[in-house]
Amino acid sequence: MDTANLQILLIEDNTKDFVLFEKYLNEGDYHLTHATSLENAARELEKKTFDILFLDLNLTDSSGIETLDKITETVLHNTPIVILTCLSDEEIAIKAVRKGAQDYLIKSELNSSLLLRSLHRSIVRKKAENELIQANKLASVGMMAGGIAHDFNNLLAVILGYSEFGIKQSNNQLITNYFDAISRASNTAKQLTQELLIVSRNRPSHSISCNLNSVLVRMKESVLRILSDKIKIDLNPQTNLWNILIDESQIDRIILNLCLNARDAMPEGGVIQISTENLHFPNGYIKDTIKLSTGNYVKLVIKDTGEGISNLNLEKIFDPFFTTKSKSEHAGTGLGLSITHGAVTEAGGQIGVESHVDEGTSFNLYFPIHGEDNIDIVNVPVLEKIQDKPSYKILIVDDNQDLLDMFNLYFEDSDYHVQTESNPLKVLKGDYAYDVDILVTDILMPHMNGKEFAKLFQEKFQKTDIIFISGYSKEILTENDEMLNTFHFLCKPFKPDDLLAKIQEILDGHKLNQ
């Protein structure tokens, strides 16, 4: 590990022990600060951030395990603490380690080698511990976010459907405007649920080979539109830039989030400097939180000339829901940088941040390359408008009656014969015959799992095409489940037109195979 300019705080009231401690550290490039009491230590901790603390449990103003309890209330949670103790206090020192201290050293056995080994080991161990805590925190937030997004997507499917239906049916411009406003708000809410699903890592990824230079040129004008007139963008792309593999919507979101973050850091205006660079690391690369293995990478830097970020906030900058913004015009959810971190990681990359108060902030992103040729982003083909709908029989099964009512209304004037049912068990009882061309079924229902229902339906009645629908993404539902991969899928919320397009896609496929 890099020990240059390491900041160490020694809390020790014995002058002789301090002199000895200082002597053992002379071999390294360290900055040692001495505090003789908890009160003095608290003042030092207010002045700056330390990389590690060495703590004597018995001080003039505190003694025993209470000393550790008091100092942990003051020090940053990610700062490792090493206990200094006499032989007679070893039992208390062990108890301190169980309460969160990284190590303990017996003063009478202390030497330079032992001290330096403990110093390095404690910092590395604490960092690994913090990374695990962060991973667990993100996993917990992800599970919560995924559950909320699932339920919210079911509601949005109904709202979007009715608002689109109202826009098409209304002959009153004022009423049409009302429905249009509902539709716009619903689509905004849809984007929010997508962000929640990104945090929970439940959104399917569609990665393609893309060139960051092409992305930046395409996005520059749209980014400028959301910035202040006082903010300029300075693009410095490297020629012949290598390609990376990433979800196209994700790289757009990454760049947009970081530019918005830069905008908020420069209320009086400034410059956003964006650069790209090809990098080769024959022996890997390690700096702060960045740890790259040997290979070729594309580096993206987005740097602002704003107010900078304090050390206290810098360590929490990628935490979900953490924000330094007040309730102002640009105050957000606190998810932007967390989502950015997740998107970069999902693409196999890494992101780091460097910042100094009043000097600006630089976000440095590293992506592994994909291939050797410069292949620009390929446009995704758009499904053409559906025409000539013949008469086919569709069965829609979902426990959300509001959604079924909306589908009945939507397909009322169509050439499709649509039946709806909220209870799959009722369908399987066979009280009346189902002659169905396509079965549309929700996956998570209280009466029966949609996958089990679809299987039993095909066994009892007929082999038919199946479209699964769910408020969860296909990616999480298909994990360790091959069945869903063999059928069609729509993720809620979707517009009725999306279902109609999927139906037509299936039927057109049958025509081609005839």
Side-chain angles (χ1 to χ4, degrees), residues 193-204:
T193 61
Q194 289 300 310
E195 290 189 350
L196 289 172
L197 287 172
I198 291 169
V199 173
S200 67
R201 303 193 178 203
N202 290 341
R203 194 190 65 83

Side-chain angles (χ1 to χ4, degrees), residues 70-100:
K70 290 179 179 178
I71 199 67
T72 51
E73 294 175 0
T74 308
V75 74
L76 295 177
H77 73 276
N78 65 337
T79 305
I81 299 175
V82 177
I83 301 300
L84 298 174
T85 181
C86 298
L87 186 59
S88 59
D89 296 332
E90 189 171 2
E91 185 177 341
I92 297 178
I94 294 173
K95 186 177 180 181
V97 170
R98 289 173 179 165
K99 293 195 70 172

Side-chain angles (χ1 to χ4, degrees), residues 158-169:
V158 178
I159 298 170
L160 270 173
Y162 275 112
S163 60
E164 291 298 313
F165 185 74
I167 290 171
K168 292 179 180 179
Q169 295 295 316

Side-chain angles (χ1 to χ4, degrees), residues 217-234:
V217 170
R218 171 174 58 80
M219 289 191 66
K220 183 177 179 181
E221 291 304 316
S222 60
V223 171
L224 279 172
R225 282 196 294 270
I226 63 173
L227 300 179
S228 163
D229 293 338
K230 299 177 182 179
I231 296 177
K232 307 299 179 184
I233 292 181
D234 181 16

